[in-house]
Amino acid sequence: MKKLRFALIGCGRISKNHIAAAIANAETMDLAVVCDPVLENAEKKARDYLEATGVKPAVYADYKKALDEREIDCCAIATESGYHAEIALYCIRLGKHVLVEKPMALSTADAERMIREAKEKGVALGVCHQNRFNAPIRELHKAVEDGRFGKLVSGTACVFWNRGMPYYEQAPWRGTWEQDGGTLMNQCIHDIDLLQWNLGGEPETVMAMTGNYLRDIHAEDFGAILIRFKNGAIGLVEGTTCVYPKNLEETLTILGGTGTAVIGGIAVNRVETWNFETPAEQDSRIAALAGTDPKDVYGSGHNLLYADYIRAVNTHTDPLVSGEEGIKAMKIILAAYKSQKTGQAVPFEGLSFSTLDMDDSDVRCR
């Protein structure tokens, strides 16, 4: 495979996982450039990469200047959420492959534009839903694909976390409608992705109740979503940043006529329940997946996500989490926001909505 030259655009909280993934995939990629408007953030990430590989990426404050001056194949975008679409579209229009952090955009229109223009340019668009690469999640999805659950009945995603005001004050874009959204868009989106991926991926109707109870932010700090899928299964989401005094759980449950599985731990990385009517070869692997938690809630899935993305670019195929896949969880959340705003169930098909369509009064409970 061709060794791809990457630019990392955005060197904030999540960038350490991108640096770790670049190091883990050093045989198939070079991290050639790191960019951040706060130059010292980019310098630190460049030093981290240098210490591990012996090679220091070029450091830029302006990603446009970097792309003008350097030969780059792929752009990994890890900025504030509100800039994802703008930067991705700029890179796509230059013919660069794009791997963008979640959410891929904050409006259906922008996400659809990213997908359409990537296809027109013939570049690979991937979205960072790294938890799909967790070993227990891969086993769960295999069980779904193999029909071990029988008729799918329901699935539940629970994200009970603590994010106090220092978290939001550290980066003022968090919790705003312009740059982020609330707990559903920021903290719960990974689990919503896993829920829809394992329940059929074709939502029909979305209903939601959300509210802002404790955190002094614009968007919701609690959200509950009810999703009817086209195959009849029902998905439930409950997420909050109001848990006292620390993170409680991140859990995905799938229920079917002949199977029950619960994946928990701090990053949906540990098998807690695995019961099926008919035994299968994969069951022998499950005991080993009830082990220790990773260092943080991000897990280590970025390493495998990068490997899959690099494979896709080199083979001219879609990554596991393509733009078409990445839009689904984001769109469920935007449908939930519209449901909260209107007080009605929202059809998934044909949805056109943005976080900018929300107002603080739509969720205010304080």
Side-chain angles (χ1 to χ4, degrees):
M1 291 195 300
K2 175 186 175 183
K3 197 169 188 180
L4 302 175
R5 291 173 59 82
F6 273 72
L8 174 61
I9 303 172
C11 295
R13 181 183 175 102
I14 193 61
S15 64
K16 66 183 178 66
N17 294 70
H18 290 262
I19 296 296
I23 294 167
N25 289 281
E27 291 187 1
T28 55
M29 68 170 281
D30 286 321
L31 184 59
V33 170
V34 290
C35 306
D36 198 281
V38 181
L39 205 57
E40 63 187 56
N41 290 346
E43 283 283 2
K44 182 182 184 307
K45 297 306 171 185
R47 289 194 302 271
D48 291 343
Y49 187 76
L50 171 64
E51 289 174 8
T53 66
V55 178
K56 185 179 180 183
V59 175
Y60 284 82
D62 184 349
Y63 72 91
K64 293 180 180 179
K65 188 171 187 291
L67 295 180
D68 184 54
E69 295 182 354
R70 303 284 173 165
E71 184 181 340
I72 297 298
D73 300 302
C74 306
C75 297
I77 301 169
T79 62
E80 299 93 310
S81 299
Y83 296 126
H84 287 176
E86 175 188 336
I87 297 172
L89 286 166
Y90 184 87
C91 297
I92 288 168
R93 288 163 185 168
L94 289 178
K96 311 300 182 186
H97 303 284
V98 168
L99 178 62
V100 61
E101 266 295 337
K102 61 76 184 171
M104 62 187 292
L106 294 179
S107 75
T108 52
D110 280 345
E112 289 164 356
R113 188 176 296 113
M114 290 162 65
I115 293 168
R116 181 176 65 253
E117 294 197 18
K119 285 190 176 299
E120 290 171 356
K121 281 289 188 179
V123 298
L125 174 61
V127 183
C128 291
H129 281 299
Q130 71 274 4
N131 287 346
R132 287 198 187 191
F133 294 88
N134 291 0
I137 295 298
R138 285 182 287 169
E139 294 291 356
L140 171 65
H141 194 67
K142 183 180 188 324
V144 170
E145 290 186 320
D146 290 348
R148 298 191 68 197
F149 284 92
K151 183 175 179 59
L152 288 168
V153 176
S154 69
T156 303
C158 293
V159 182
F160 296 154
W161 283 355
N162 174 280
R163 295 291 185 271
M165 283 312 300
Y167 166 83
Y168 295 102
E169 291 163 354
Q170 180 190 41
W173 62 272
R174 292 174 182 153
T176 66
W177 293 121
E178 293 80 10
Q179 292 291 320
D180 187 17
T183 188
L184 292 175
M185 190 68 85
N186 195 318
Q187 282 77 35
C188 298
I189 189 168
H190 286 301
D191 301 87
I192 293 169
D193 174 65
L194 297 180
L195 181 69
Q196 64 83 22
W197 190 43
N198 286 291
L199 281 186
E202 293 291 337
E204 185 174 75
T205 308
V206 177
M207 298 179 65
M209 290 186 181
T210 74
N212 179 285
Y213 291 87
L214 300 179
R215 307 301 181 228
D216 187 16
I217 59 175
H218 298 280
E220 82 286 352
D221 57 22
F222 173 86
I225 310 176
L226 190 64
I227 310 158
R228 168 75 76 176
F229 287 86
K230 289 183 178 179
N231 62 9
I234 293 176
L236 301 95
V237 179
E238 186 177 4
T240 185
T241 56
C242 294
V243 173
Y244 176 84
K246 60 183 181 180
N247 288 358
L248 181 61
E249 69 170 296
E250 181 180 10
T251 305
L252 177 69
T253 301
I254 301 294
L255 304 177
T258 56
T260 296
V262 181
I263 313 297
I266 68 167
V268 281
N269 59 285
R270 196 169 64 224
V271 175
E272 297 184 349
T273 300
W274 188 266
N275 295 321
F276 290 94
E277 183 177 80
T278 305
E281 184 272 334
Q282 71 173 149
D283 297 339
S284 62
R285 300 191 292 268
I286 296 304
L289 300 179
T292 58
D293 285 323
K295 291 183 293 185
D296 56 42
V297 296
Y298 300 121
S300 56
H302 278 85
N303 295 3
L304 292 173
L305 181 140
Y306 262 72
D308 176 76
Y309 181 76
I310 291 165
R311 173 205 56 77
V313 171
N314 274 309
T315 57
H316 307 288
T317 57
D318 289 330
L320 176 65
V321 194
S322 61
E324 289 88 344
E325 285 296 300
I327 195 175
K328 292 177 182 178
M330 183 211 78
K331 193 173 173 182
I332 287 171
I333 295 164
L334 289 175
Y337 286 158
K338 184 174 182 179
S339 179
Q340 169 65 27
K341 188 177 184 73
T342 63
Q344 299 176 350
V346 173
F348 186 80
E349 191 170 339
L351 176 73
S352 178
F353 203 73
S354 166
T355 56
L356 293 177
D357 294 323
M358 295 294 288
D359 188 81
D360 296 7
S361 61
D362 292 326
V363 297
R364 187 66 66 224
C365 295
R366 290 183 281 111

